[in-house]
Amino acid sequence: MNELTIGPLHSSPVIHRHPSNPILAPKDVPYGPAMVFNAGVTKFQGKYVMVFRNDYGDADKHTILPHNTTNLGVAFSDDGVKWEVKDTTCWTWNDEEVIRVYDPRLTVIEDKCYMCFAVDTKHGLRGGIAVTEDFERFEVLSLSLPDNRNMVLFPGRIAGHYVRLERPFPVYSRGGIDRFDMWMSDSPDLRYWGNSQLLLAVEQVPFANDKVGPGAPPIKTEKGWLTTFHAVDIDRSRGKNGWEDTWKKRYTAGIMLLDSDNPSRIIGLAKCPLLAPEAAYEIDGGFRNHVIFPGGMILEDSGEVKIYYGAADTVECLATAYVDDLVRLCLEEG
């Protein structure tokens, strides 16, 4: 398949990177990972909570250890900017079938904290949902069939059902091409999922030519569900762009607004990225440069929205905007 090459991309003027970025880097984690990124962030029991992904290796030599060393860490904060990292990891899953757990996403529903996650297994990549009360023990409620990942939960029932966004990997049925879209499923109990339907396709996003999928769990606004997504474009001419010999993809963050009562209906979608890789910690020196991946979004009482994102697959960052500006962006452009 011939991809249409996408040129330079820029962040929306309504969003601002926090001056403390990166807000979490490998040097801040006491047990020595080489990369910390793709975190889930929420408010729970009066604290900001971040569960983040740890990958290990030698950053100076640009080498990484095998995937079975990946695990999750946890940090807490009073302001969502300065973080206190727990001195031990919170979840490692590596057994006769599961290779690693990674890419957490946090959602509070009815005073419980649920975590979507991905697991690599010896028989395919699966997405899961777990519940925790202390971020030390995780009860796994469901695991998908291969291949599905990037799952996020809406923070409450809609029409009596739980709803999640997800990104399946239908390589064989798509003719072997790397082209993946965002889907939606629902469940009566967070364990059994169905009624799956396509929500957002690659061709609907002007700044994607490779894949689109969920970002942070959606937040409820007066106008609908404000929803971030990741969008990927690929350019075969890109060369060495990180630690690997070649890295030809660029990840950006997009934003859209879904109907409050029927989230399968897109009310508005910004036609340009909300965040595109531009800052030094997003485009240089990382494991995979030119990568932004939103994983947490918090609406404050003031109307400020905190958006947490992984940068260059190496550090965790924060950007802020106001909810009215984000909604307007979706409606005016969409």
Side-chain angles (χ1 to χ4, degrees):
M1 179 179 178
N2 294 322
E3 300 103 349
L4 177 65
T5 299
I6 296 171
L9 297 173
H10 302 286
S11 302
S12 169
V14 309
I15 196 160
H16 305 282
R17 290 166 173 83
H18 198 279
S20 297
N21 277 346
I23 59 167
L24 190 72
K27 65 179 177 58
D28 303 317
V29 181
Y31 41 83
M35 301 98 83
V36 293
F37 62 107
N38 286 7
V41 186
T42 193
K43 276 185 174 178
F44 186 64
Q45 296 180 350
K47 285 271 193 179
Y48 294 85
V49 183
M50 176 192 294
V51 178
F52 53 90
R53 168 178 171 172
N54 297 297
D55 284 49
Y56 297 85
D58 188 325
D60 294 331
K61 295 181 180 179
H62 291 181
T63 59
I64 59 172
L65 294 180
H67 285 173
N68 62 4
T69 61
T70 297
N71 52 32
L72 302 181
V74 64
F76 300 92
S77 174
D78 292 323
D79 61 5
V81 178
K82 297 179 181 178
W83 294 88
E84 181 179 344
V85 180
K86 190 174 179 181
D87 59 5
T88 57
T89 59
C90 67
W91 194 14
T92 299
W93 193 356
N94 174 233
D95 57 29
E96 64 277 3
E97 174 61 17
V98 173
I99 298 168
R100 63 173 176 172
V101 59
Y102 59 104
D103 287 359
R105 306 285 181 264
L106 302 179
T107 306
V108 177
I109 304 174
E110 298 169 357
D111 298 324
K112 293 184 178 181
C113 191
Y114 294 87
M115 186 174 76
C116 296
F117 57 90
V119 286
D120 289 343
T121 80
K122 295 178 181 177
H123 297 89
L125 189 160
R126 305 175 71 182
I129 299 171
V131 62
T132 183
E133 295 181 3
D134 56 12
F135 302 95
E136 296 179 359
R137 293 171 292 274
F138 297 87
E139 178 191 356
V140 177
L141 303 178
S142 69
L143 285 172
S144 72
L145 287 169
D147 284 310
N148 200 356
R149 63 173 294 192
N150 296 125
M151 296 175 177
V152 300
L153 289 170
F154 285 74
R157 294 176 186 259
I158 303 173
H161 283 74
Y162 299 99
V163 181
R164 78 181 182 196
L165 305 177
E166 57 201 354
R167 194 190 74 187
F169 283 58
V171 176
Y172 182 78
S173 64
R174 295 294 295 269
I177 62 171
D178 185 30
R179 191 175 178 90
F180 310 126
D181 312 295
M182 189 190 307
W183 288 67
M184 173 182 289
S185 299
D186 66 42
S187 170
D189 57 6
L190 291 168
R191 296 180 184 272
Y192 301 99
W193 293 86
N195 297 321
S196 302
Q197 58 184 303
L198 178 67
L199 176 66
L200 182 68
V202 172
E203 60 267 22
Q204 293 174 257
V205 180
F207 46 97
N209 66 10
D210 184 58
K211 50 191 172 186
V212 295
I219 58 174
K220 187 72 172 291
T221 74
E222 293 180 355
K223 300 294 185 179
W225 293 102
L226 195 60
T227 307
T228 57
F229 58 90
H230 66 274
V232 184
D233 74 281
I234 189 167
D235 183 342
R236 303 292 176 184
S237 68
R238 291 178 183 140
K240 187 170 177 60
N241 202 12
W243 298 6
E244 299 173 304
D245 291 337
T246 60
W247 173 242
K248 301 179 182 298
K249 296 177 182 179
R250 171 176 53 184
Y251 278 66
T252 57
I255 194 160
M256 61 184 174
L257 193 67
L258 308 179
D259 186 89
S260 295
D261 300 319
N262 178 16
S264 66
R265 176 174 171 256
I266 300 174
I267 298 174
L269 187 152
K271 298 302 183 183
C272 295
L274 178 65
L275 271 172
E278 294 168 308
Y281 45 82
E282 298 161 355
I283 64 174
D284 186 43
F287 172 59
R288 287 174 171 167
N289 295 322
H290 294 91
V291 172
I292 282 176
F293 205 113
M297 182 163 55
I298 294 173
L299 174 58
E300 306 287 11
D301 293 339
S302 65
E304 182 187 63
V305 178
K306 290 183 171 72
I307 298 176
Y308 296 88
Y309 65 98
D313 278 5
T314 305
V315 294
E316 188 67 19
C317 299
L318 169 63
T320 61
Y322 282 95
V323 64
D324 291 345
D325 292 335
L326 294 173
V327 169
R328 189 179 305 113
L329 186 65
C330 295
L331 295 176
E332 290 181 354
E333 292 195 9

